[in-house]
Amino acid sequence: MDDVIPFLENVLRGKNVPPERMAAVARHYERFGGISPINQQNRDLIAALQARFAKDGPDLPIYWGNRNWHPMLADTISRMADDGIERALAFVTSAYGSYSGCRQYLENIDAASEVVTAQGKRPPAIKKLRVYFNHPCFIEANADNLRLALENISPDRRRRVRVLFSAHSIPTAMADGCLYEKQLRETAALVAKAAGAENFEVDRYELVYQSRSGPPGQPWLEPDVLDRMRELASSGDDAFVIQPIGFISDHMEVKFDLDIQARELADELGVELARAATVGTHPAFIEMIRQLVLEELEGAEMQSLGEMGLLPEQCRTGCCPSGR
């Protein structure tokens, strides 16, 4: 627990987040013994990817760096320089384009590389892999998880269940400068179609948001998942599946916002609730990462689904402004 506030200060540095919001989030960690689940999930992801590489290639080492806690990105890039790495590909744990989910990672990589340069070392040239919100394997993994979650809804309610696809809310000023919301809607539609038909009525799904952290007067993307559950329950919906398609692992926000808060609300409303897993280490998701790497190494075919297709200019200079 002693590390939680310093960690949150790193996460929220430069952002207009009220101190009471930071204190409230810190209390979330108390319910999990002060341990964020994301580090072990990153270790599991790396182990799964290493095993996949060992089976069919490519023969590449995998490094791990965080931008807000240890292992810190600058320390990792420093170790890469010591190991003689000259070129690297960066896979970031965000499937969508936005300032927080794309451009900020590029800025973090540049800043960490400058730290390593100041140490008298030569950091590797690092290229970020493309966003993957509509990659066929990402859709497959999410659709599999949605089908499994639907099995936890009573058979007599399953066809009419309401599926809520959840993502991290961002300020509308940030959303206006990127394709974040449009990409989320594309992913939701693709996953619903892939998992629908015999499993649930495919048009009964919505995009909702969670985890907003800004001041009350600042507009953020809506509707909030809890607010929408209340509205739908008052209109007669009695069964929900929440799938956090905006996240790739069951980290703290998923576990607290959905497994605790949404679960408590469902009990209060007297409705059924199942929560679909994130893609985590699903074999299709691991294969997707491998394919993204092979696109860069071997010129493998770039795959996508849906109307938006491939976005060749997605990480151009000046993309996804912060909105501040």
Side-chain angles (χ1 to χ4, degrees):
M1 281 303 301
D2 290 344
D3 292 332
V4 171
I5 290 297
F7 161 70
L8 292 176
E9 288 173 344
N10 287 340
V11 174
L12 302 174
R13 183 172 290 114
K15 299 179 181 179
N16 186 19
V17 177
E20 56 271 20
R21 171 60 180 167
M22 184 186 300
V25 173
R27 288 193 292 273
H28 299 175
Y29 284 81
E30 292 177 355
R31 302 183 72 156
F32 296 88
I35 298 173
S36 169
I38 196 169
N39 278 338
Q40 187 56 50
Q41 289 164 6
N42 280 332
R43 295 184 190 102
D44 294 342
L45 179 67
I46 291 168
L49 191 57
Q50 286 172 329
R52 187 70 187 88
F53 280 8
K55 181 180 179 183
D56 292 314
D59 181 15
L60 292 177
I62 299 175
Y63 292 82
W64 167 30
N66 292 325
R67 62 184 179 191
N68 294 313
W69 203 249
H70 307 286
M72 300 298 287
L73 184 56
D75 295 336
T76 298
I77 294 178
S78 178
R79 182 159 62 90
M80 294 170 73
D82 292 340
D83 292 345
I85 303 296
E86 296 180 355
R87 293 180 298 146
L89 296 170
F91 174 79
V92 306
T93 53
S94 173
Y96 306 89
S98 70
Y99 176 75
S100 299
C102 183
R103 183 173 176 177
Q104 189 177 6
Y105 283 104
L106 299 174
E107 294 175 355
N108 295 148
I109 290 170
D110 287 345
S113 296
E114 290 174 1
V115 170
V116 175
T117 299
Q119 296 171 347
K121 302 178 182 181
R122 178 177 293 178
I126 301 174
K127 181 177 182 180
K128 177 185 173 294
L129 296 171
R130 66 183 179 93
V131 294
Y132 45 88
F133 67 96
N134 61 358
H135 193 286
C137 292
F138 186 64
I139 303 304
E140 177 187 345
N142 276 299
D144 281 352
N145 289 342
L146 178 52
R147 282 189 287 266
L148 287 173
L150 288 165
E151 293 177 1
N152 293 319
I153 299 296
S154 300
D156 61 323
R157 295 175 172 177
R158 194 173 302 156
R159 290 285 299 163
R160 296 287 297 166
V161 70
R162 183 75 65 171
V163 175
L164 302 178
F165 291 109
S166 181
H168 202 302
S169 184
I170 61 174
T172 56
M174 184 187 297
D176 289 344
C178 64
L179 297 175
Y180 180 69
E181 190 172 12
K182 186 176 181 180
Q183 291 171 354
L184 283 165
R185 293 192 183 281
E186 175 108 313
T187 301
L190 291 168
V191 174
K193 181 179 180 180
E198 73 278 6
N199 296 294
F200 79 107
E201 293 184 13
V202 72
D203 62 333
R204 289 180 60 81
Y205 74 88
E206 300 183 19
L207 178 62
V208 296
Y209 297 93
Q210 62 179 90
S211 310
R212 69 157 291 162
S213 57
Q218 183 183 33
W220 282 54
L221 291 179
E222 297 177 338
D224 175 78
V225 58
L226 302 182
D227 293 341
R228 189 58 181 147
M229 284 178 64
R230 292 187 185 95
E231 292 173 357
L232 291 168
S234 68
S235 299
D237 281 297
D238 58 4
F240 299 90
V241 169
I242 302 179
Q243 180 163 31
I245 58 167
F247 309 91
I248 74 159
S249 65
D250 289 9
H251 54 50
M252 183 62 70
E253 287 170 320
V254 171
K255 287 185 171 295
F256 184 82
D257 294 357
L258 303 183
D259 294 349
I260 293 179
Q261 287 191 314
R263 170 61 60 190
E264 291 175 349
L265 178 60
D267 292 342
E268 175 189 325
L269 297 172
V271 299
E272 281 194 61
L273 174 65
R275 202 268 287 175
T278 50
V279 290
T281 57
H282 189 290
F285 184 62
I286 300 303
E287 177 59 23
M288 183 207 75
I289 301 174
R290 177 176 174 270
Q291 290 182 16
L292 294 179
V293 171
L294 293 179
E295 287 178 7
E296 298 294 337
L297 291 185
E298 302 175 2
E301 179 185 0
M302 300 174 69
Q303 301 181 56
S304 67
L305 296 173
E307 297 179 357
M308 295 185 70
L310 298 169
L311 305 175
E313 300 299 316
Q314 63 201 351
C315 292
R316 67 191 183 282
T317 301
C319 72
C320 301
S322 68
R324 291 195 292 272

